[in-house]
Amino acid sequence: MTSLKKVKQALRLLPALRLVWQAAPNWTLVYIIVLVIQGILPLVLLYLTKLIIDTIVESVNIVDKISNFQQLITLIALTGLVTLATVICNSGAELVNTAQSRRVADYMSSILHAKSIEVDLEYYENPQYFDTLQRAQNEATYRPNRILNNLVWVAQNLISLVTMVGLLLSLHWGIAGVLFVAAIPTVLVRVKFSKILYTWHRKKTAMERQAEYLSWLLIGDIFAKEIRLFNLGTLFSQRFDRLRFQLYKENLAISSKRAVATLIAQALATILMLSAYTFIIYQAYQGIIRIGDLVLYYQALQRGQDSLKSVLGSFSALYEDNLFIANLYEFLELEPKIIQPAHPQPFPQMQDGIRFTNVSFQYSTTTRQALKDINLTIKPGEVVALVGENGSGKTTLIKLLCRLYDPTNGSITIDGIDLRDLDVVDLRRQFSVIFQDYVKYNFTAQENIWLGNTDLPPTQDSIAAAAQRSGAYDVIKRLPQGYDTMLGKWFDQGEELSIGQWQKVALARAFLRNSQVIVLDEPTSAMDPKAEAEVFDGFRKLIKGQTAILITHRLATVKMADQIFVMDKGTIVETGTHEELMLRGGTYAILFETQAQHYR
Ligand code: ADP
């Protein structure tokens, strides 16, 4: 590894501290102060102990016993005060720590959320993204704070360590040396196993996610019905157990090895330390040092060992933090590819319309092209339909049009302006799209519609008008609290709707949006024929001059379209009006006849 890279890695700790500071500056400051005081108080106590012992030893040869006794009392009182301060400090630290770490955890969640919104849709269709997200989530809530703690502990223990080493040096340099040598094996063990665990965790993220997925299947509400009917509970539960057991076994194997290595390292340390203790006791035995000194050195050695252990422990922990925090940055540093152009143009009031020129597209995770050489024009105010088999590329075409992805080849323009030159937010503002897998928000009915256009105040009038247009009005009217009824089953008093009813609510959301283009992907697939007819019979009036793109399998509903694009395997195979395509007798005509026969 180059030294530059090493320096860069070492600096990984700093951004984490910045995050902690941004999350809760006041609490963090108080926390640091408390930790520093906590570090100093034991030293004061130790010094007081030495003074007490010295005073007692002196009293043997002294005449003025009373003043000696008074001095002793003062020292004991001071010891009491310092002990009290320690207790207060400890409970204060607990409170401050709880408050501070909660603030940091919440802040980190909001940072993860912000990043999740920022990244492209593409990431959500890619398993590696979820691995990265999972690892980041594992680290985000506690790791930055741990770094802060470890740094403060290093400082705290360094103060104590330097004092103790100073004391021991005054006795014999060898004692101080033993202290350090004894600590080395433990540190080496820890560093080695940090690396092993880090690599293991990275390798196992996918497996952990599989287990989590199974757990989600077992407890998630949307799966409950099917899991019972197909009796899949035990199967999934066993699979979950197998995965977790495998992870447990592997982790245990590493942990056992680490335990043995640590044991050996500590046994070595103990032997070395024991020889140092023997040396000090021998010195006292020989009368070279006094009893007070014996206690002082003895304690200094003990505390020195503890402090050194803590310092080195914190350093090893920092090393580990430095490795693992990379998981968080990896996620935070994901670069969106769909970026705002340097000089974005506003979305025009369409005159010429939408044009696809030789557009091809391939998902990065596949080897096939989902769209091949698409050419089409849609004029403002036109109603067009995309028809074709499943997987023929209809939804992909819409995703490109809303710039959820950029074409691999070719270009899409609005009035001659490339989508990549338009303001991204403005562009998406001008489309109201309801995909087949639209969201059923577990909010009130009113909010479910209002979310279509949050620029509007959430007043009843506009929402009711949108609900009227989509047919949701009749559904909502019958709900116990009307527009204020909570929808879905997640929250108290939620009312579950049928799929067709949900579809009407989603459609109302699209109608509320006031966009230039409305895109509906199978918008009425779950509605009854009457409701569907209501939507499509008056469709042009319903959309009030908007340009409309419909994706549907029900060819009866696309008869009224100005243009119909028939797609097959990523290409457009036929274009025309219903009448033109029927006359042509191609794919569309055959499909239409098959469906019509069904109804007759
Ligand atoms: P349609 O809407 O006509 O049913 P799609 O546009 O959803 O078809 O899919 C077109 C092709 O692209 C299909 O072969 C499908 O498997 C593939 N595809 C769709 N979404 C993704 C994705 N996120 N990642 C990879 N391939 C995809």
Side-chain angles (χ1 to χ4, degrees):
M1 197 187 298
T2 64
S3 50
L4 184 72
K5 218 168 156 190
K6 272 189 185 162
V7 170
K8 257 189 166 167
Q9 275 203 353
L11 292 181
R12 276 212 294 248
L13 298 177
L14 287 181
L17 292 179
R18 196 158 352 142
L19 288 173
V20 172
W21 185 255
Q22 282 164 353
N26 294 339
W27 279 121
T28 303
L29 191 66
V30 176
Y31 187 50
I32 292 174
I33 293 172
V34 171
L35 285 181
V36 170
I37 298 176
Q38 266 186 322
I40 295 170
L41 287 179
L43 301 182
V44 178
L45 263 185
L46 179 62
Y47 188 65
L48 284 172
T49 315
K50 173 197 149 58
L51 290 183
I52 289 174
I53 294 171
D54 283 349
T55 316
I56 293 172
V57 174
E58 265 168 35
S59 74
V60 181
N61 315 316
I62 228 163
V63 192
D64 184 6
K65 295 255 188 225
I66 290 180
S67 102
N68 188 274
F69 187 69
Q70 272 172 354
Q71 198 182 336
L72 202 59
I73 293 292
T74 317
L75 286 172
I76 291 171
L78 275 177
T79 309
L81 276 179
V82 174
T83 312
L84 185 67
T86 310
V87 173
I88 293 173
C89 225
N90 288 348
S91 42
E94 207 176 299
L95 170 72
V96 177
N97 185 15
T98 310
Q100 189 256 2
S101 53
R102 284 194 83 113
R103 289 308 303 143
V104 174
D106 290 346
Y107 180 75
M108 291 312 300
S109 296
S110 65
I111 285 198
L112 287 187
H113 292 161
K115 190 69 199 183
S116 308
I117 307 169
E118 187 196 299
V119 297
D120 298 331
L121 178 73
E122 179 177 351
Y123 287 112
Y124 284 87
E125 302 185 329
N126 177 341
Q128 270 105 40
Y129 166 79
F130 289 107
D131 285 351
T132 315
L133 174 63
Q134 162 107 354
R135 284 195 290 262
Q137 270 174 337
N138 284 348
E139 304 306 323
T141 47
Y142 79 101
R143 189 73 68 176
N145 229 358
R146 224 185 81 155
I147 292 175
L148 171 78
N149 277 322
N150 279 322
L151 281 173
V152 177
W153 284 329
V154 165
Q156 209 183 44
N157 286 300
L158 266 181
I159 302 173
S160 151
L161 181 66
V162 168
T163 319
M164 301 307 153
V165 169
L167 274 173
L168 292 173
L169 279 176
S170 70
L171 180 67
H172 193 285
W173 65 266
I175 301 274
V178 166
L179 193 66
F180 283 97
V181 173
I184 293 172
T186 321
V187 173
L188 291 182
V189 167
R190 174 119 193 220
V191 166
K192 183 177 156 63
F193 279 92
S194 292
K195 256 193 216 159
I196 293 178
L197 270 173
Y198 173 71
T199 319
W200 180 77
H201 271 297
R202 279 192 79 89
K203 267 215 303 258
K204 294 295 154 183
T205 314
M207 202 169 176
E208 274 179 7
R209 280 208 307 113
Q210 268 170 19
E212 253 175 50
Y213 176 68
L214 286 165
S215 170
W216 185 49
L217 285 180
L218 286 165
I219 58 180
D221 56 341
I222 28 179
F223 316 108
K225 212 182 330 150
E226 184 159 328
I227 287 196
R228 275 153 189 73
L229 289 175
F230 283 68
N231 193 21
L232 298 173
T234 320
L235 177 77
F236 290 169
S237 172
Q238 281 167 349
R239 280 194 189 174
F240 173 86
D241 291 345
R242 263 204 302 278
L243 284 171
R244 292 306 308 180
F245 190 68
Q246 176 70 20
L247 289 167
Y248 154 82
K249 260 195 336 205
E250 290 182 20
N251 188 288
L252 189 69
I254 300 176
S255 302
S256 314
K257 276 189 202 148
R258 183 172 61 179
V260 172
T262 310
L263 188 72
I264 296 172
Q266 289 189 345
L268 276 173
T270 311
I271 294 170
L272 282 170
M273 292 306 287
L274 209 61
S275 54
Y277 283 125
T278 315
F279 177 77
I280 297 176
I281 294 169
Y282 183 72
Q283 297 267 307
Y285 186 71
Q286 292 282 312
I288 303 170
I289 57 175
R290 292 187 301 174
I291 298 293
D293 292 331
L294 171 72
V295 176
L296 185 66
Y297 289 132
Y298 202 86
Q299 286 234 10
L301 195 58
Q302 221 165 36
R303 296 229 171 161
Q305 193 190 5
D306 287 347
S307 312
L308 185 64
K309 238 192 218 162
S310 305
V311 169
L312 294 177
S314 301
F315 266 126
S316 330
L318 279 171
Y319 173 79
E320 189 182 299
D321 292 338
N322 197 35
L323 283 177
F324 278 88
I325 196 81
N327 287 332
L328 175 61
Y329 299 150
E330 190 187 352
F331 178 71
L332 294 182
E333 282 160 12
L334 288 178
E335 287 288 344
K337 289 179 214 156
I338 309 286
I339 41 168
Q340 180 77 349
H343 305 288
Q345 303 202 36
F347 196 96
Q349 190 60 45
M350 285 200 292
Q351 305 289 332
D352 295 341
I354 303 164
R355 184 186 294 271
F356 279 58
T357 315
N358 306 328
V359 171
S360 297
F361 178 73
Q362 184 175 337
Y363 287 99
S364 61
T365 47
T366 59
T367 48
R368 281 170 292 120
Q369 281 193 319
L371 291 178
K372 278 173 270 183
D373 212 20
I374 300 283
N375 287 287
L376 61 82
T377 314
I378 301 169
K379 300 219 179 60
E382 263 186 347
V383 174
V384 305
L386 296 177
V387 300
E389 285 176 14
N390 290 328
S392 56
K394 305 178 297 288
T395 307
T396 306
L397 192 145
I398 301 302
K399 286 192 210 160
L400 294 193
L401 182 57
C402 310
R403 218 179 158 217
L404 292 171
Y405 289 87
D406 281 333
T408 326
N409 276 308
S411 66
I412 306 169
T413 55
I414 307 275
D415 279 8
I417 311 170
D418 195 298
L419 288 191
R420 284 166 285 212
D421 295 327
L422 289 169
D423 182 287
V424 181
V425 177
D426 200 19
L427 164 72
R428 298 202 181 137
R429 181 71 202 69
Q430 292 305 334
F431 285 93
S432 68
V433 187
I434 295 296
F435 281 114
Q436 232 171 336
D437 50 355
Y438 60 88
V439 184
K440 299 167 186 167
Y441 294 100
N442 279 237
F443 298 150
T444 63
Q446 167 145 335
E447 276 180 311
N448 258 284
I449 299 174
W450 177 66
L451 292 178
N453 189 357
T454 51
D455 295 341
L456 292 177
T459 54
Q460 287 269 346
D461 290 351
S462 50
I463 287 170
Q468 286 275 13
R469 284 161 73 192
S470 75
Y473 183 78
D474 292 331
V475 177
I476 296 167
K477 208 172 56 186
R478 272 180 254 129
L479 293 172
Q481 277 105 37
Y483 283 94
D484 294 325
T485 311
M486 186 64 99
L487 299 189
K489 272 279 160 239
W490 267 68
F491 300 108
D492 217 16
Q493 296 188 328
E495 287 280 326
E496 188 54 277
L497 303 182
S498 76
I499 304 177
Q501 290 172 326
W502 271 113
Q503 236 171 20
K504 288 178 186 173
V505 173
L507 202 55
R509 191 151 66 230
F511 285 144
L512 187 72
R513 194 157 176 78
N514 281 336
S515 57
Q516 293 191 48
V517 185
I518 184 164
V519 182
L520 304 174
D521 187 350
E522 297 285 357
T524 55
S525 58
M527 290 187 199
D528 53 63
K530 187 166 151 274
E532 185 172 35
E534 275 166 17
V535 171
F536 284 111
D537 287 350
F539 192 67
R540 277 180 206 276
K541 226 169 74 201
L542 227 47
I543 59 174
K544 298 181 182 166
Q546 280 171 299
T547 309
I549 304 174
L550 300 170
I551 300 181
T552 178
H553 281 102
R554 306 227 193 153
L555 299 188
T557 61
V558 306
K559 268 161 88 175
M560 49 79 181
D562 298 310
Q563 290 192 81
I564 298 167
F565 299 107
V566 184
M567 295 190 70
D568 184 35
K569 298 188 188 73
T571 59
I572 294 178
V573 289
E574 286 174 18
T575 309
T577 60
H578 172 74
E579 286 73 25
E580 286 165 0
L581 292 176
M582 289 306 285
L583 270 177
R584 221 178 120 149
T587 316
Y588 179 84
I590 296 170
L591 271 176
F592 190 85
E593 272 309 319
T594 320
Q595 285 195 3
Q597 267 173 20
H598 237 63
Y599 283 113
R600 279 183 217 125

